[in-house]
Amino acid sequence: MNIKNYIKNQITNILKSININKKYNYKIKNNYKYSDYQINGIIIISKKEKIKLNFLFKLIKQKLLKNKIFNKIKIINPGFINIFLNKKYIEKLINKISKKKKFNIKKTKKKKILIDYSSPNIAKEMHIGNLRSTIIGDYLSNILKFLGNKIIKINHIGDWGTQFGILITWIKKYKLEKKIKNIKYISYIYKKAQKYFYKNNKFALKAKKNVVKLQNKKKNIYNLWKKIVKITTKENYKIYKYLNIKLKKKHTIGESYYQKSLTKIVNDLIKKKIAIKNNKSIIIFLKNYIKYPIIIQKKDKGFLYSTTDIAAIKYRYKKFKPNKIIYIIDYRQTEYLKQIFQICKNSNYIPKNFNIIHYKFGLILNKNNKPIKSRKDNYLTIKQIINLIKKKSKNFINYNKKYNKYKINRITKKITIGTIKYIELSKNRKTNYYFNINKVLSLKSNTSLYIQYSYTRIISILRKNNTNTTNSIKYFKYYITSKLEYLISLKILNFKEIIKKSAKKCKSNIICKYLYDISSLFSNLYEKQNISNIKNNKLKKSKLKLIAIISKILRIGLNILGIPILYNI
Ligand code: ARG
């Protein structure tokens, strides 16, 4: 519950009850000096609607007081309403909801939601360009699952297309079959082969011919392809596993899967008069995109990325019967996806009103503020990013001297995962950003380490006082004894709304900010008074319960972000 929004909704309803439906811009401010909240701007409503101010004031006061959460309402001339919250009621609420497994956060309507995310291209090492979709997609599936939905994850890997013709032709040309053992080598020769492909026509022609042979499953070519896919995906799963990304083999349905259905789909689209022949290729013109038709089959009969995406939607809808399909892809594919979605609706592969959404994100920029281009830039692979952050963490942290190597490595890993994910998750999804690993580790500013560390500190305080999160919440009673605790209480009540808002907009940064804020509030609280030294037992328990509640919130929040918690450093 966000009290400000709550008051706003109440006022809107009160105004509606006397037939004022127009939206007025009255303000609700925190006003900790004279009250808890202050409403300002009722005078304007009274003037515009020609209703006596006193009548409005009285009505608002009378109706607001019906809510247990408000204790006192004071009208201050000329035109303010001061609101005092009922602290006892807030305490009661907090004592109640903190006991609930998910803080009373429930979803009423459960949905089956399919999410297409990560989806790297094969024959390449996973790189910085794959980071956003992978991390955002995983967060989104976590939060939607937390809210009670059934999630179907799909990793639409780029395991088909011309790139394999190029690579395989190169491998055959130089008889490199036996050398194909790891992804680094594959990436390396792929780059070389690609350069050559653009320079040499004869090679290009051969590569294209080999694509057709691959499509026809010609044995030696098909087997080579299989090997390349196997080696790449094996590497990718290692990365997912390290980063605690919950994508498994069973979630991979790559582009190649749809090969067998593409001819049928193209024919169907022609039959339905959605696609037309144009100069030997097959294309689709959509009303608002006359200038940018979608090609679904090339002159040489080859199919495209688009054909596969259409086939994928058709398949996914039929096979999984989801209520919603979500794509986590960068904004450059916005117009393309709009067209693909429209084509699938026009051809009745999905219903006209089907909920299919693209959550787009911005690009990661290089030092010159230009998008990192996988082909030209010497971009970082995810493995390199992991190693860089790992090294940085190790140097940054003062580990407990008693810890052995094994334990230190485990902690470092958790910090590394948190740091990499937080770089992404704390940003606004829609904007581009420059990837900077300089300030990502700090115990004083907005970092995942700060949040992880706050959690660790709370756990150790509880431990020192012979209790833990569950027991403190279950057996102790919390009551507000200071302004700061009052603020923390309001923050706690706001958790539910934060989670819902974050999920609705697919904005992880809302949760990051919230977790950071509540961690800072905990720090303030702890700086004021060392809880372990409190003599009054009742007071001590109340404070222990408050920090236990904070730790529970941190654990739920970090879990949703896919960031591991730390019990010790
Ligand atoms: N493999 C593509 C890329 O790396 C992303 C695929 C996204 N998913 C999809 N269904 N098109 O750009």
Side-chain angles (χ1 to χ4, degrees):
M1 164 191 259
N2 177 313
I3 309 267
K4 243 191 222 176
N5 291 344
Y6 185 71
I7 297 174
K8 215 162 199 168
N9 285 337
Q10 291 290 318
I11 303 272
T12 309
N13 288 339
I14 293 168
L15 292 176
K16 267 191 191 152
S17 75
I18 51 166
N19 280 328
I20 301 179
N21 294 312
K22 210 179 133 187
K23 278 224 158 112
Y24 282 99
N25 207 6
Y26 50 86
K27 287 204 169 86
I28 298 167
K29 280 194 203 154
N30 300 77
N31 179 350
Y32 296 123
K33 209 163 166 196
Y34 302 112
S35 64
D36 294 325
Y37 291 90
Q38 186 173 72
I39 311 175
N40 186 356
I42 302 297
I43 296 185
I44 297 171
I45 302 177
S46 132
K47 274 187 188 153
K48 288 244 162 99
E49 298 284 339
K50 299 201 172 49
I51 296 176
K52 279 210 173 106
L53 185 60
N54 241 351
F55 170 77
L56 268 181
F57 275 161
K58 272 197 183 138
L59 183 77
I60 291 173
K61 180 173 172 174
Q62 184 202 3
K63 292 231 167 149
L64 281 184
L65 277 178
K66 284 198 174 141
N67 294 284
K68 281 189 201 144
I69 198 156
F70 306 124
N71 192 26
K72 206 165 69 180
I73 313 271
K74 250 178 152 176
I75 311 292
I76 306 288
N77 282 321
F80 304 114
I81 301 175
N82 280 357
I83 299 179
F84 298 83
L85 297 181
N86 180 348
K87 303 218 161 65
K88 285 270 150 327
Y89 185 68
I90 291 176
E91 287 165 3
K92 215 172 115 187
L93 265 181
I94 289 184
N95 278 306
K96 198 173 120 193
I97 62 165
S98 60
K99 280 203 189 95
K100 300 264 162 76
K101 200 173 151 218
K102 292 182 174 181
F103 270 84
N104 232 2
I105 306 172
K106 275 179 257 157
K107 174 113 184 174
T108 36
K109 249 199 206 149
K110 286 183 186 166
K111 285 189 181 141
K112 203 192 235 188
I113 304 172
L114 190 149
I115 310 178
D116 177 319
Y117 73 102
S118 193
S119 311
N121 289 332
I122 296 304
K124 266 188 196 169
E125 278 186 273
M126 273 184 83
H127 54 89
I128 191 163
N130 300 122
L131 209 54
R132 293 197 89 169
S133 177
T134 305
I135 294 174
I136 297 172
D138 217 49
Y139 139 78
L140 188 67
S141 49
N142 289 342
I143 194 165
L144 293 178
K145 188 168 171 214
F146 177 83
L147 289 173
N149 299 290
K150 180 164 175 35
I151 307 300
I152 299 150
K153 304 172 202 174
I154 304 254
N155 195 355
H156 187 80
I157 57 171
D159 60 356
W160 203 252
T162 318
Q163 72 260 39
F164 291 98
I166 299 173
L167 190 56
I168 288 168
T169 311
W170 185 269
I171 293 170
K172 290 198 146 310
K173 182 171 155 86
Y174 292 102
K175 302 204 175 14
L176 304 171
E177 284 89 340
K178 291 230 165 69
K179 282 193 168 168
I180 306 294
K181 282 197 185 107
N182 60 60
I183 182 64
K184 242 197 154 92
Y185 185 70
I186 294 173
S187 283
Y188 166 72
I189 59 167
Y190 176 60
K191 274 186 202 150
K192 275 183 154 182
Q194 205 173 28
K195 262 193 201 144
Y196 196 63
F197 174 81
Y198 289 115
K199 273 201 314 228
N200 188 304
N201 275 337
K202 229 170 118 191
F203 180 78
L205 215 68
K206 207 162 191 183
K208 282 177 190 163
K209 269 191 188 147
N210 277 337
V211 177
V212 180
K213 282 186 191 163
L214 176 62
Q215 278 171 2
N216 296 329
K217 294 200 175 171
K218 200 161 174 264
K219 209 170 167 199
N220 59 349
I221 290 191
Y222 188 76
N223 284 344
L224 204 47
W225 167 80
K226 250 168 103 178
K227 193 171 166 192
I228 294 165
V229 174
K230 200 170 162 196
I231 291 170
T232 319
T233 43
K234 202 172 153 201
E235 273 315 298
N236 292 352
Y237 287 119
K238 269 195 218 155
I239 287 170
Y240 293 146
K241 187 156 183 243
Y242 186 91
L243 287 179
N244 191 18
I245 297 287
K246 290 162 214 87
L247 275 174
K248 304 265 152 54
K249 229 182 192 144
K250 64 175 180 204
H251 302 119
T252 295
I253 308 178
E255 292 181 18
S256 65
Y257 181 81
Y258 304 98
Q259 268 307 297
K260 49 190 185 296
S261 61
L262 299 184
T263 308
K264 234 171 118 184
I265 285 195
V266 169
N267 288 335
D268 187 48
L269 290 171
I270 294 173
K271 211 179 88 199
K272 287 179 173 155
K273 298 208 160 52
I274 290 167
I276 53 166
K277 265 203 182 115
N278 181 311
N279 235 341
K280 282 191 186 156
S281 53
I282 312 286
I283 58 176
I284 299 178
F285 286 105
L286 286 177
K287 245 195 215 151
N288 300 322
Y289 299 93
I290 297 294
K291 273 193 190 155
Y292 307 100
I294 292 266
I295 305 173
I296 55 171
Q297 191 165 23
K298 291 185 288 188
K299 275 181 210 146
D300 65 8
K301 300 272 172 251
F303 301 109
L304 292 107
Y305 182 61
S306 57
T307 335
T308 308
D309 261 328
I310 295 169
I313 292 178
K314 183 172 188 270
Y315 171 79
R316 290 166 184 184
Y317 183 73
K318 215 171 149 187
K319 164 104 185 171
F320 300 106
K321 300 183 181 63
N323 304 99
K324 198 194 255 190
I325 297 181
I326 297 174
Y327 286 78
I328 312 284
I329 310 180
D330 78 55
Y331 72 80
R332 289 172 301 184
Q333 295 193 32
T334 305
E335 296 306 307
Y336 161 76
L337 285 171
K338 273 190 198 159
Q339 295 191 69
I340 296 295
F341 298 168
Q342 193 57 49
I343 291 167
C344 288
K345 287 179 181 178
N346 291 352
S347 52
N348 282 330
Y349 293 159
I350 48 174
K352 295 269 182 297
N353 59 355
F354 185 68
N355 207 346
I356 183 160
I357 336 176
H358 173 207
Y359 282 135
K360 45 181 161 280
F361 54 83
L363 305 175
I364 300 184
L365 306 174
N366 63 20
K367 280 207 177 93
N368 307 317
N369 267 335
K370 294 252 163 59
I372 293 178
K373 284 244 173 62
S374 56
R375 237 180 269 148
K376 292 196 189 107
D377 272 306
N378 222 346
Y379 57 86
L380 288 170
T381 64
I382 296 190
K383 216 170 172 180
Q384 284 168 325
I385 294 172
I386 290 174
N387 286 333
L388 278 169
I389 306 263
K390 217 190 299 183
K391 217 160 135 196
K392 252 178 112 84
S393 312
K394 254 196 181 145
N395 293 331
F396 184 82
I397 307 287
N398 287 320
Y399 293 95
N400 187 329
K401 296 246 158 30
K402 285 182 218 142
Y403 292 166
N404 60 23
K405 227 180 172 173
Y406 173 72
K407 192 153 185 176
I408 288 178
N409 282 341
R410 236 183 31 195
I411 296 171
T412 309
K413 180 177 169 185
K414 289 181 175 186
I415 294 171
T416 306
I417 298 171
T419 303
I420 293 177
K421 286 188 174 170
Y422 205 79
I423 294 176
E424 179 51 53
L425 295 172
S426 59
K427 301 272 190 327
N428 179 342
R429 155 169 73 78
K430 292 188 181 162
T431 48
N432 298 338
Y433 68 87
Y434 164 52
F435 191 80
N436 184 348
I437 60 161
N438 289 332
K439 288 182 188 149
V440 294
L441 281 162
S442 158
L443 283 167
K444 290 202 179 84
S445 58
N446 187 359
T447 61
S448 75
L449 181 59
Y450 181 79
I451 298 169
Q452 284 174 314
Y453 185 56
S454 302
Y455 179 84
T456 316
R457 272 172 81 195
I458 295 177
I459 297 302
S460 92
I461 296 167
L462 294 174
R463 214 182 271 146
K464 220 168 157 184
N465 287 282
N466 300 317
T467 183
N468 56 37
T469 309
T470 319
N471 286 336
S472 316
I473 290 176
K474 206 165 165 190
Y475 301 117
F476 301 167
K477 200 166 170 316
Y478 166 62
Y479 55 96
I480 300 171
T481 63
S482 67
K483 185 114 254 173
L484 182 59
E485 286 177 4
Y486 166 72
L487 289 177
I488 297 177
S489 305
L490 294 187
K491 199 90 195 164
I492 292 170
L493 289 183
N494 201 8
F495 187 47
K496 182 172 173 175
E497 214 160 296
I498 290 288
I499 297 287
K500 293 221 159 175
K501 197 165 148 196
S502 170
K504 197 169 165 202
K505 301 186 162 182
C506 183
K507 281 193 163 178
S508 53
N509 55 335
I510 296 177
I511 296 185
C512 293
K513 167 91 175 36
Y514 176 87
L515 295 182
Y516 173 63
D517 286 347
I518 205 162
S519 299
S520 307
L521 286 169
F522 157 70
S523 276
N524 292 347
L525 185 78
Y526 196 69
E527 269 161 29
K528 284 224 166 76
Q529 190 173 32
N530 184 338
I531 299 174
S532 310
N533 295 339
I534 298 176
K535 292 271 151 24
N536 179 333
N537 212 16
K538 218 171 128 197
L539 184 66
K540 188 185 209 172
K541 283 181 175 168
S542 166
K543 302 231 183 209
L544 288 172
K545 174 153 182 177
L546 180 61
I547 64 168
I549 293 172
I550 295 176
S551 78
K552 186 168 171 179
I553 285 180
L554 292 179
R555 201 185 55 217
I556 293 175
L558 287 173
N559 239 323
I560 286 174
L561 296 178
I563 295 175
I565 47 173
L566 291 174
Y567 284 100
N568 39 38
I569 287 189

